[in-house]
Amino acid sequence: MASTAADLARRKAREEDGTGSQANAIPFNQQDFEQLRSECLQSGSLFCDPTFPATWDSLGYNQLGRYSSKTIGVEWKRPTELCPAPQFIVDGAKRTDICQGALGDCWLLAAVASLTLDPQILSRVVPPGQSFTSQYTGIFHFQLWQYGEWVDVVVDDRLPTRDGKLLFVHSAEGKEFWSALLEKAYAKVNSSYEALTGGSSIEGFEDFTGGIAESYDLKEAPPSLFNIIRKALKLGSLLGCSIDISSSYETEAITSQKLVKGHAYSITAAEQVHSSGSLVDLLRIRNPWGQVEWTGAWSDDSREWAGVGPEERRKLDHRADDGEFWMSYSDFLRQFSRLDICNLTPDTLTSNQVARWNYAEFKGVWRVGSTAGGCRNYPATFCSNPQFFVRLLAVDDDPDDGEDGCTALIGLMQKNARRERRFGRDLNTIGFAIYQVPDEFKGRSNVHLGPDVLLRSAAVARSPTFINLREVCGRFKLPPGEYVIVPSTFEPHRKGSFALRVFTEKEAHSRSEGGWTRRTGGYWSDW
């Protein structure tokens, strides 16, 4: 109990001085960018990062390991060795700066492509003022969200190459390097490039914004989904989509109409156009490869554009061999399998013209023999799991589905999943349950509900599933009231660290069982 109280005190002190916020990111590996650059300027040397060296260990541990055929001939070179006048960013970061290389991280690049649509969000991830001329010392830095905290990650500019060309992500022109260096920073926080192989755009979306993501099965798309997409894009949300595969043999298989299965795309626009007297819903979709485009209806050279007026055609800029293409919303539902939307936190949004989520973050640990109680299938230990309390105060103003209640997005994320891969460690299977708090416990601090409460009443809501992914997230509509969220692994005695996040449309209050809440935006507060 004493260690828990001390941990809460440390967290509260960190929150009060803003450490870990976007405005005060924590130096990753305790490496301070300004200090390191100053030291290099004074010594006249180029920065070489000792914590992520230009060696095979930074490439990977298996497919990109020391003795892999895929790493034969790889040389680490600085951009100044690859072209005569390298640039960090030319005329702003663009989606065409992001072309996939020999690494299966299309999920990450789709998130980066969506990031370029909002210069303000991008400038937080990719701090401005970096170049290969002014104060150049071979060091660059980026800011990423990691499990509830923002970290500032420095990298040197030595990049993996083969035959004088970048091995991984690169710009179409070959002279811009911000995307390659950002990919390196992301590889660094995850321990290697190989750790980035395979994933969902949701993960990249969240690590670039601190937001919380939802996923839609397009075979069961709600009737209002096109409007949800349009609203999300206007709010600056990041959107990605993909086509499911039935086996590994289908990975990156190309369909007859040039869509890639098992591949992450980003959605960059949603528009309605007049075509032959009727309105058509269109989506603009980008392939991070920078090529291989949809050839069906509303593709670059399709006949459907003949029915659109010249002014609308110019507005939509529908012909470009850049991996970006238009598709009707109805074809999108037929061709794609999944849509991911990352909702942004209040501090990410700068416009006063848009609504904001209210949200709070908690951190916790499942300890074997203490707080690793497993799911409710294990009644002897279930109630030992950490508990977090939420009071929902007001119903939504304008519910999209016409149902009164309080909308809440709840996400449970386990930490350091990719870093653990090299050690052969699997993800825990995680989920959560939500219970209504009995009247006699409402508003009380330092409360931990026991079996007499949790085992004698049914959960009012649960995570969509227990699953061995980095995060499980659900959208809920609950009546105003007080609730307790119980996050757990599926089986007991599974150790791990986690972050729990709760987003609500309207005002809400929250606390942990120890009585302390991290206030991170909107109206969240202590009781």
Side-chain angles (χ1 to χ4, degrees), residues 406-481:
C406 309
T407 293
L409 291 176
I410 299 176
L412 173 64
M413 179 183 293
Q414 52 188 321
K415 300 173 68 174
N416 301 321
R418 292 185 179 275
R419 295 183 68 88
E420 300 291 308
R421 280 185 179 181
R422 66 168 62 233
F423 306 113
R425 296 172 186 161
D426 294 329
L427 289 166
N428 285 320
T429 299
I430 60 171
F432 56 85
I434 306 170
Y435 293 84
Q436 196 151 22
V437 175
D439 290 342
E440 61 268 30
F441 294 104
K442 287 182 178 177
R444 290 174 53 183
S445 298
N446 297 308
V447 169
H448 186 97
L449 301 182
D452 56 326
V453 175
L454 298 185
L455 299 184
R456 292 184 179 180
S457 59
V460 298
R462 300 177 184 275
S463 55
T465 183
F466 272 78
I467 195 166
N468 60 337
L469 294 177
R470 183 175 88 149
E471 182 178 44
V472 59
C473 178
R475 176 186 283 257
F476 306 94
K477 184 70 70 73
L478 301 170

Side-chain angles (χ1 to χ4, degrees), residues 109-396:
L109 306 188
V112 177
S114 294
L115 190 68
T116 64
L117 298 176
D118 191 316
Q120 289 181 321
I121 296 177
L122 181 71
S123 67
R124 291 175 177 174
V125 176
V126 185
Q130 304 186 77
S131 76
F132 290 96
T133 52
S134 176
Q135 293 190 304
Y136 169 70
T137 58
I139 186 172
F140 294 84
H141 71 130
F142 303 87
Q143 294 197 352
L144 303 170
W145 182 88
Q146 291 286 284
Y147 314 111
E149 295 177 327
W150 285 87
V151 294
D152 191 82
V153 187
V154 303
V155 292
D156 64 37
D157 62 353
R158 296 177 294 176
L159 297 167
T161 70
R162 182 183 283 124
D163 300 325
K165 296 181 180 179
L166 290 179
L167 189 61
F168 303 133
V169 72
H170 54 278
S171 65
E173 298 84 359
K175 294 184 178 180
E176 284 183 80
F177 291 90
W178 72 269
S179 58
L181 292 167
L182 173 58
E183 182 187 47
K184 182 174 184 178
Y186 203 84
K188 177 177 176 176
V189 299
N190 287 287
S191 79
S192 71
Y193 279 95
E194 185 173 352
L196 306 186
T197 301
S200 166
S201 295
I202 281 180
E203 189 174 340
F205 288 164
E206 293 185 336
D207 287 348
F208 293 143
T209 67
I212 193 168
E214 303 175 83
S215 187
Y216 291 89
D217 181 348
L218 295 179
K219 300 298 182 287
E220 301 175 359
S224 59
L225 185 58
F226 183 76
N227 289 331
I228 291 174
I229 293 172
R230 293 186 73 184
K231 181 179 179 181
L233 287 165
K234 289 179 180 178
L235 290 173
S237 300
L238 306 181
L239 291 85
C241 55
S242 60
I243 303 172
D244 287 346
I245 58 174
S246 57
S247 72
S248 59
Y249 296 104
E250 287 190 311
T251 303
E252 297 191 347
I254 300 176
T255 70
S256 60
Q257 293 179 305
K258 302 296 184 183
L259 293 177
V260 186
K261 293 184 177 182
H263 185 64
Y265 290 79
S266 51
I267 298 176
T268 57
E271 298 287 351
Q272 291 183 312
V273 298
H274 296 85
S275 176
S276 303
S278 61
L279 271 178
V280 180
D281 295 337
L282 296 181
L283 296 178
R284 189 176 66 198
I285 302 171
R286 169 147 181 85
N287 180 350
W289 284 353
Q291 53 188 346
V292 187
E293 297 183 11
W294 160 254
T295 58
W298 296 100
S299 59
D300 288 0
D301 298 311
S302 69
R303 63 172 182 250
E304 284 78 15
W305 290 104
V308 179
E311 186 173 338
E312 280 189 296
R313 286 203 304 270
R314 283 194 298 271
K315 175 186 174 184
L316 298 183
D317 188 23
H318 75 283
R319 296 188 64 179
D321 185 21
D322 56 3
E324 199 164 51
F325 55 86
W326 290 95
M327 170 185 277
S328 71
Y329 175 66
S330 57
D331 274 337
F332 171 73
L333 293 180
R334 283 190 289 267
Q335 298 291 336
F336 284 86
S337 308
R338 187 159 299 280
L339 168 70
D340 301 324
I341 301 177
C342 183
N343 304 281
L344 302 182
T345 56
D347 57 342
T348 302
L349 299 168
T350 56
S351 171
N352 292 322
Q353 305 302 313
V354 299
R356 286 170 165 77
W357 292 98
N358 304 290
Y359 81 115
E361 297 174 355
F362 307 92
K363 292 183 180 180
V365 177
W366 294 300
R367 293 187 177 92
V368 176
S370 174
T371 58
C375 71
R376 187 164 165 164
N377 292 356
Y378 302 89
T381 54
F382 173 67
C383 298
S384 66
N385 284 299
Q387 299 178 6
F388 303 93
F389 294 79
V390 176
R391 183 191 294 168
L392 303 177
L393 301 176
V395 300
D396 302 343

